[in-house]
Amino acid sequence: LITLSTSLQRETLEQASILSMESMNNIRTVHQLNKQGSLADKYESLTNQCLKISRRYCLIQSALWGIDFAFPLFVVSALYESALMLVDHGVLQPKDFIW
């Protein structure tokens, strides 16, 4: 997931940098053909695409970190609840617990 996201970002930024460098090197041709707006729109589209890729990666990564952080708390609470149920049913005695 990390390498896929990084490679997609790298390719998108590479295309954007190539576009900007070619536009700067051929600024007279761009100006004569009146293509400033379309090239700017294309550059903006590429940078927005890179932003979407990084947002998606950050969203997935933060969800995984949240699950990783919360999972031990859920396990402890489930163990506590099951121990209380065993005490209620008389299977375990409170003196059997290690405090």
Side-chain angles (χ1 to χ4, degrees), residues 5 18 34 51 62 64-65 71 75 77-78 81-83 92 99:
S5 176
I18 288 171
N34 202 17
L51 179 64
S62 63
L64 290 175
W65 274 93
F71 187 72
V75 169
S77 64
E81 179 66 26
S82 61
L92 287 176
W99 300 102

Side-chain angles (χ1 to χ4, degrees), residues 12 41-53:
T12 306
D41 291 341
K42 189 172 182 180
Y43 181 80
E44 184 179 2
S45 170
L46 288 170
T47 54
N48 284 339
Q49 183 180 359
C50 184
L51 179 64
K52 287 179 185 177
I53 293 168

